């Protein structure tokens, strides 16, 4: 018996009957030999962690564009906080931590430079539309490893695709990540907004603070404990009505006071114009795209989709650098 088989057997002994067991996975689109050490979801987690798209998250905007300070969140730190929240919940409920972590680490791979401002631009310019959750799946299926993809299990891809509010994952592990994503960004976006003097803790309505807590630690503790308490030994991941409503009210408060606040979003118009010009440039000059993307067009991919793929994969700094290369005059010098 291999180490992997022992670990799979242990899952059946330890995990909840509602867990997604590794040896019961629907599997991968392309069959491949099993690892002798790692179950399938652990292997998926490792593939995501070692991907180029994951590494680029460290230089992509979360909420504040190019903030002056080392302690503001990036898309990478957001992803890690989602993963930690999700693992805490999964462990308490005896669900599959490997699956939860794989979904959490992969859920935002498709995010654009400059956060949701970049997503809005590409959604407007691409005739097929652009949604970061769908792009995350496209990355792991089509774009990573020079077009080979990561060949992840269907459960991981399902969790990545359906982590947004409007859809629901098929596994409890995916549903945990769906909640953990919201908990993480509400938690850390308040922290960043306070740090950036966009708001103070006292600005949060008293009725919300009385239910969730008066500081970030209390709120995080309340939300995670509530999910665990209400989901224990159930075939669902839920919150109590009171806590869920308070979290939704807090999210609405954040949209009004932070996510659409002119002080926090003052540079977004520039970012949107920058990405719009890059999109138009690559549509007119497709030979400026890297070879991998030119090959995709030769294989029948639409040019708009390929340009979206390339721009969405850029970090904030790389997008600025390419814009400068194409549109900002350089000092003349004698060769």
């Amino acid at each position: 018996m291999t180490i992997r088989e022992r670990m799979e057997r242990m899952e059946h002994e330890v995990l909840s009957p509602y867990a997604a067991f590794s040896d019961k996975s629907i599997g991968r689109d392309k069959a491949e030999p099993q690892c002798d050490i790692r179950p399938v979801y652990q292997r998926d987690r490792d593939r995501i962690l070692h991907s180029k798209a994951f590494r680029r998250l460290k230089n992509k905007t979360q909420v504040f564009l190019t903030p002056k300070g080392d302690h503001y969140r990036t898309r990478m730190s957001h992803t890690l906080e989602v993963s930690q929240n999700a693992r805490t919940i999964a462990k308490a409920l005896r669900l599959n931590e490997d699956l939860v972590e794989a979904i959490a680490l992969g859920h935002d791979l498709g995010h654009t430079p400059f956060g949701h401002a970049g997503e809005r631009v590409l959604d407007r310019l691409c005739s097929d539309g652009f949604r970061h959750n769908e792009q995350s799946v496209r990355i792991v299926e089509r774009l990573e490893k020079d077009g080979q993809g990561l060949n992840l299990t269907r459960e991981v891809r399902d969790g990545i695709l359906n982590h947004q509010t409007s859809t629901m994952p098929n596994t409890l592990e995916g549903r945990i990540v769906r909640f953990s994503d919201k908990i993480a960004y509400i938690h850390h976006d308040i922290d960043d907004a306070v740090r950036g003097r966009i708001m103070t803790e006292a600005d949060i309505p008293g009725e919300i603070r009385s239910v969730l807590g008066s500081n970030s630690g209390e709120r995080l503790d309340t939300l995670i404990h509530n999910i665990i308490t209400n989901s224990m030994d159930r075939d669902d991941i839920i919150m109590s009505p009171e806590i869920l409503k308070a979290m939704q009210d807090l999210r609405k408060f954040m949209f009004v006071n932070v996510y659409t606040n002119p002080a926090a979003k003052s540079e977004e118009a520039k970012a949107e114009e920058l990405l719009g010009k890059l999109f138009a440039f690559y549509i007119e000059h497709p030979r400026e795209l890297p070879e991998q993307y030119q090959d995709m067009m030769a294989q029948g991919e639409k040019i708009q989709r390929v340009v979206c793929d390339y721009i969405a994969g850029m970090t904030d700094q790389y997008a600025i650098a390419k814009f400068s290369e194409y549109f900002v005059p350089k000092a003349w010098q004698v060769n």
Side-chain angles (χ1 to χ4, degrees):
M1 182 181 293
T2 65
I3 294 174
R4 170 185 55 79
E5 289 170 331
R6 290 195 188 101
M7 294 175 71
E8 290 170 346
R9 175 178 290 184
M10 190 180 300
E11 286 183 1
H12 285 276
E13 295 172 354
V14 174
L15 296 185
S16 162
Y18 303 118
F21 296 102
S22 299
D23 61 352
K24 300 297 183 181
S25 169
I26 297 171
R28 311 179 187 280
D29 286 351
K30 292 177 285 188
E32 58 182 67
Q34 288 267 34
C35 176
D36 63 331
I37 297 175
R38 297 168 297 166
V40 289
Y41 302 136
Q42 183 181 348
R43 203 174 183 190
D44 284 359
R45 186 272 317 271
D46 295 349
R47 290 179 182 185
I48 293 169
L49 188 65
H50 291 294
S51 69
K52 290 187 292 185
F54 182 80
R55 294 196 294 275
R56 290 196 297 268
L57 294 178
K58 69 180 183 294
N59 289 317
K60 290 193 176 191
T61 290
Q62 173 59 25
V63 171
F64 297 94
L65 272 65
T66 58
K68 294 181 179 179
D70 294 333
H71 301 128
Y72 292 93
R73 268 69 169 196
T74 65
R75 192 61 60 179
M76 170 76 81
S77 55
H78 162 72
T79 294
L80 295 177
E81 291 185 37
V82 173
S83 176
Q84 187 56 53
N85 291 343
R87 287 185 60 200
T88 297
I89 296 168
K91 192 164 194 171
L93 296 177
R94 295 187 297 120
L95 297 176
N96 196 314
E97 281 189 74
D98 289 335
L99 176 55
V100 156
E101 190 171 18
I103 295 170
L105 294 182
H107 83 283
D108 269 356
L109 293 179
H111 251 298
T112 61
F114 309 118
H116 288 285
E119 185 171 13
R120 287 195 299 270
V121 171
L122 295 186
D123 187 45
R124 184 173 68 246
L125 294 175
C126 186
S127 59
D128 294 333
F130 182 93
R131 288 159 290 277
H132 79 270
N133 57 318
E134 295 175 359
Q135 187 68 14
S136 296
V137 175
R138 182 167 168 81
I139 284 172
V140 300
E141 288 183 344
R142 179 78 171 90
L143 301 179
E144 268 293 326
K145 296 185 70 175
D146 299 322
Q148 297 180 56
L150 301 180
N151 196 29
L152 304 181
T153 58
R154 293 187 191 179
E155 291 83 0
V156 172
R157 286 178 286 148
D158 168 76
I160 291 172
L161 179 64
N162 295 304
H163 75 270
Q164 304 226 104
T165 302
S166 59
T167 56
M168 184 66 71
N170 288 315
T171 64
L172 298 190
E173 287 80 0
R175 296 178 192 184
I176 287 174
V177 174
R178 184 173 174 270
F179 264 125
S180 297
D181 181 36
K182 296 171 183 60
I183 291 171
Y185 71 66
I186 291 172
H187 167 75
H188 60 54
D189 290 350
I190 290 174
D191 188 49
D192 282 354
V194 171
R195 178 175 290 106
R197 299 182 180 180
I198 303 299
M199 58 169 283
T200 68
E201 284 281 352
D203 293 328
I204 300 173
E207 59 269 25
I208 295 176
R209 286 187 281 127
S210 66
V211 175
L212 298 182
S214 58
N215 58 59
S216 61
E218 289 181 3
R219 285 190 294 271
L220 189 62
D221 189 66
T222 297
L223 293 168
I224 289 177
H225 272 79
N226 190 262
I227 290 176
I228 292 169
T229 300
N230 286 276
S231 305
M232 187 69 69
D233 298 323
R234 299 183 67 167
D235 190 17
D236 202 0
I237 304 299
I238 58 174
M239 282 181 167
S240 67
E242 180 189 26
I243 298 298
L244 179 61
K245 182 181 183 302
M247 185 180 79
Q248 291 170 337
D249 289 344
L250 181 56
R251 187 169 176 264
K252 292 175 184 175
F253 169 85
M254 291 294 290
F255 268 96
V256 172
N257 293 275
V258 176
Y259 301 140
T260 59
N261 186 308
K265 298 298 179 180
S266 58
E267 298 298 301
E268 281 195 354
K270 296 177 186 177
E272 291 182 16
E273 184 175 0
L274 181 155
L275 293 182
K277 287 187 174 181
L278 281 180
F279 184 91
F281 177 84
Y282 287 120
I283 292 291
E284 294 177 11
H285 305 90
R287 291 191 178 277
E288 293 295 326
L289 292 167
E291 184 177 350
Q292 174 188 345
Y293 297 89
Q294 295 188 45
D295 290 343
M296 289 168 62
M297 287 188 290
Q299 296 164 12
E301 293 271 10
K302 296 178 182 178
I303 184 172
Q304 285 191 346
R305 175 50 54 190
V306 173
V307 171
C308 275
D309 288 337
Y310 185 46
I311 292 177
M314 293 179 175
T315 62
D316 296 10
Q317 296 94 322
Y318 188 74
I320 293 170
K322 298 307 287 186
F323 180 87
S324 298
E325 177 182 340
Y326 298 135
F327 298 107
V328 178
K330 297 177 177 61
W332 180 83
Q333 62 181 12
V334 178
N335 292 327

mmCIF file of all heavy atoms in Angstrom, residues 38 43-55 144 150:
data_model
loop_
_atom_site.group_PDB
_atom_site.id
_atom_site.type_symbol
_atom_site.label_atom_id
_atom_site.label_comp_id
_atom_site.label_asym_id
_atom_site.label_seq_id
_atom_site.Cartn_x
_atom_site.Cartn_y
_atom_site.Cartn_z
ATOM 1 N N ARG A 38 0.990 11.794 -2.634
ATOM 2 C CA ARG A 38 -0.029 12.826 -2.426
ATOM 3 C C ARG A 38 -1.383 12.436 -3.017
ATOM 4 O O ARG A 38 -1.459 12.053 -4.184
ATOM 5 C CB ARG A 38 0.417 14.141 -3.063
ATOM 6 C CG ARG A 38 1.678 14.736 -2.467
ATOM 7 C CD ARG A 38 2.188 15.858 -3.360
ATOM 8 N NE ARG A 38 2.561 15.342 -4.687
ATOM 9 C CZ ARG A 38 2.793 16.102 -5.756
ATOM 10 N NH1 ARG A 38 2.663 17.412 -5.668
ATOM 11 N NH2 ARG A 38 3.128 15.550 -6.908
ATOM 12 N N ARG A 43 -2.210 17.322 -4.477
ATOM 13 C CA ARG A 43 -1.436 17.509 -5.705
ATOM 14 C C ARG A 43 -1.901 18.751 -6.473
ATOM 15 O O ARG A 43 -1.082 19.515 -6.999
ATOM 16 C CB ARG A 43 -1.596 16.260 -6.569
ATOM 17 C CG ARG A 43 -0.478 16.034 -7.572
ATOM 18 C CD ARG A 43 -0.674 14.708 -8.270
ATOM 19 N NE ARG A 43 0.407 14.409 -9.182
ATOM 20 C CZ ARG A 43 0.390 13.413 -10.046
ATOM 21 N NH1 ARG A 43 -0.664 12.613 -10.101
ATOM 22 N NH2 ARG A 43 1.405 13.199 -10.852
ATOM 23 N N ASP A 44 -3.214 18.960 -6.523
ATOM 24 C CA ASP A 44 -3.748 20.164 -7.163
ATOM 25 C C ASP A 44 -3.281 21.420 -6.436
ATOM 26 O O ASP A 44 -2.927 22.429 -7.070
ATOM 27 C CB ASP A 44 -5.283 20.118 -7.168
ATOM 28 C CG ASP A 44 -5.834 19.178 -8.226
ATOM 29 O OD1 ASP A 44 -5.038 18.571 -8.966
ATOM 30 O OD2 ASP A 44 -7.077 19.047 -8.310
ATOM 31 N N ARG A 45 -3.343 21.385 -5.113
ATOM 32 C CA ARG A 45 -2.871 22.520 -4.316
ATOM 33 C C ARG A 45 -1.439 22.875 -4.675
ATOM 34 O O ARG A 45 -1.089 24.044 -4.884
ATOM 35 C CB ARG A 45 -2.995 22.164 -2.827
ATOM 36 C CG ARG A 45 -2.695 23.273 -1.833
ATOM 37 C CD ARG A 45 -1.211 23.383 -1.438
ATOM 38 N NE ARG A 45 -0.555 22.131 -1.177
ATOM 39 C CZ ARG A 45 -0.508 21.513 0.004
ATOM 40 N NH1 ARG A 45 -1.149 22.020 1.031
ATOM 41 N NH2 ARG A 45 0.187 20.386 0.145
ATOM 42 N N ASP A 46 -0.579 21.860 -4.784
ATOM 43 C CA ASP A 46 0.824 22.089 -5.111
ATOM 44 C C ASP A 46 0.986 22.671 -6.512
ATOM 45 O O ASP A 46 1.827 23.547 -6.752
ATOM 46 C CB ASP A 46 1.612 20.787 -4.991
ATOM 47 C CG ASP A 46 1.664 20.269 -3.562
ATOM 48 O OD1 ASP A 46 1.276 21.015 -2.647
ATOM 49 O OD2 ASP A 46 2.082 19.109 -3.369
ATOM 50 N N ARG A 47 0.200 22.194 -7.458
ATOM 51 C CA ARG A 47 0.294 22.708 -8.834
ATOM 52 C C ARG A 47 -0.064 24.185 -8.891
ATOM 53 O O ARG A 47 0.574 24.971 -9.603
ATOM 54 C CB ARG A 47 -0.624 21.894 -9.759
ATOM 55 C CG ARG A 47 -0.130 20.483 -9.987
ATOM 56 C CD ARG A 47 -1.064 19.686 -10.897
ATOM 57 N NE ARG A 47 -0.566 18.320 -11.056
ATOM 58 C CZ ARG A 47 -1.095 17.416 -11.849
ATOM 59 N NH1 ARG A 47 -2.165 17.707 -12.575
ATOM 60 N NH2 ARG A 47 -0.583 16.202 -11.943
ATOM 61 N N ILE A 48 -1.103 24.569 -8.168
ATOM 62 C CA ILE A 48 -1.498 25.977 -8.137
ATOM 63 C C ILE A 48 -0.418 26.814 -7.470
ATOM 64 O O ILE A 48 -0.040 27.885 -7.969
ATOM 65 C CB ILE A 48 -2.845 26.131 -7.414
ATOM 66 C CG1 ILE A 48 -3.958 25.485 -8.238
ATOM 67 C CG2 ILE A 48 -3.157 27.607 -7.152
ATOM 68 C CD1 ILE A 48 -5.273 25.347 -7.499
ATOM 69 N N LEU A 49 0.094 26.335 -6.355
ATOM 70 C CA LEU A 49 1.105 27.083 -5.611
ATOM 71 C C LEU A 49 2.358 27.331 -6.443
ATOM 72 O O LEU A 49 2.996 28.384 -6.330
ATOM 73 C CB LEU A 49 1.466 26.308 -4.335
ATOM 74 C CG LEU A 49 2.376 27.016 -3.337
ATOM 75 C CD1 LEU A 49 1.701 28.238 -2.762
ATOM 76 C CD2 LEU A 49 2.775 26.064 -2.222
ATOM 77 N N HIS A 50 2.703 26.399 -7.310
ATOM 78 C CA HIS A 50 3.919 26.529 -8.123
ATOM 79 C C HIS A 50 3.665 27.180 -9.480
ATOM 80 O O HIS A 50 4.591 27.307 -10.282
ATOM 81 C CB HIS A 50 4.555 25.146 -8.335
ATOM 82 C CG HIS A 50 5.131 24.558 -7.077
ATOM 83 N ND1 HIS A 50 6.199 25.110 -6.424
ATOM 84 C CD2 HIS A 50 4.765 23.475 -6.351
ATOM 85 C CE1 HIS A 50 6.492 24.386 -5.350
ATOM 86 N NE2 HIS A 50 5.626 23.390 -5.283
ATOM 87 N N SER A 51 2.440 27.608 -9.738
ATOM 88 C CA SER A 51 2.123 28.193 -11.040
ATOM 89 C C SER A 51 2.611 29.634 -11.134
ATOM 90 O O SER A 51 2.758 30.339 -10.126
ATOM 91 C CB SER A 51 0.610 28.151 -11.283
ATOM 92 O OG SER A 51 -0.077 29.030 -10.410
ATOM 93 N N LYS A 52 2.847 30.079 -12.356
ATOM 94 C CA LYS A 52 3.258 31.464 -12.591
ATOM 95 C C LYS A 52 2.124 32.429 -12.236
ATOM 96 O O LYS A 52 2.368 33.511 -11.706
ATOM 97 C CB LYS A 52 3.681 31.644 -14.041
ATOM 98 C CG LYS A 52 4.994 30.955 -14.397
ATOM 99 C CD LYS A 52 5.465 31.299 -15.795
ATOM 100 C CE LYS A 52 4.563 30.715 -16.848
ATOM 101 N NZ LYS A 52 5.074 30.935 -18.227
ATOM 102 N N ALA A 53 0.895 32.040 -12.548
ATOM 103 C CA ALA A 53 -0.241 32.912 -12.254
ATOM 104 C C ALA A 53 -0.351 33.190 -10.762
ATOM 105 O O ALA A 53 -0.694 34.308 -10.352
ATOM 106 C CB ALA A 53 -1.532 32.275 -12.768
ATOM 107 N N PHE A 54 -0.063 32.194 -9.936
ATOM 108 C CA PHE A 54 -0.111 32.404 -8.487
ATOM 109 C C PHE A 54 0.960 33.389 -8.049
ATOM 110 O O PHE A 54 0.700 34.289 -7.252
ATOM 111 C CB PHE A 54 0.054 31.076 -7.746
ATOM 112 C CG PHE A 54 -0.042 31.212 -6.253
ATOM 113 C CD1 PHE A 54 -1.282 31.294 -5.632
ATOM 114 C CD2 PHE A 54 1.094 31.259 -5.466
ATOM 115 C CE1 PHE A 54 -1.384 31.425 -4.256
ATOM 116 C CE2 PHE A 54 1.004 31.398 -4.088
ATOM 117 C CZ PHE A 54 -0.235 31.475 -3.478
ATOM 118 N N ARG A 55 2.158 33.267 -8.576
ATOM 119 C CA ARG A 55 3.247 34.169 -8.185
ATOM 120 C C ARG A 55 2.941 35.616 -8.569
ATOM 121 O O ARG A 55 3.342 36.547 -7.864
ATOM 122 C CB ARG A 55 4.568 33.715 -8.802
ATOM 123 C CG ARG A 55 5.055 32.374 -8.283
ATOM 124 C CD ARG A 55 6.524 32.143 -8.600
ATOM 125 N NE ARG A 55 6.793 32.014 -10.016
ATOM 126 C CZ ARG A 55 6.693 30.870 -10.702
ATOM 127 N NH1 ARG A 55 6.275 29.769 -10.088
ATOM 128 N NH2 ARG A 55 6.994 30.820 -11.982
ATOM 129 N N GLU A 144 -1.874 28.072 -18.289
ATOM 130 C CA GLU A 144 -0.658 27.730 -17.540
ATOM 131 C C GLU A 144 0.183 26.681 -18.271
ATOM 132 O O GLU A 144 -0.317 25.943 -19.121
ATOM 133 C CB GLU A 144 -1.012 27.219 -16.146
ATOM 134 C CG GLU A 144 -1.034 28.307 -15.084
ATOM 135 C CD GLU A 144 0.331 28.916 -14.792
ATOM 136 O OE1 GLU A 144 1.355 28.199 -14.848
ATOM 137 O OE2 GLU A 144 0.367 30.126 -14.496
ATOM 138 N N LEU A 150 -3.064 22.967 -16.039
ATOM 139 C CA LEU A 150 -2.626 22.237 -14.843
ATOM 140 C C LEU A 150 -3.345 20.901 -14.665
ATOM 141 O O LEU A 150 -2.980 20.128 -13.786
ATOM 142 C CB LEU A 150 -2.841 23.101 -13.593
ATOM 143 C CG LEU A 150 -2.114 24.451 -13.569
ATOM 144 C CD1 LEU A 150 -2.417 25.192 -12.265
ATOM 145 C CD2 LEU A 150 -0.604 24.269 -13.738
#
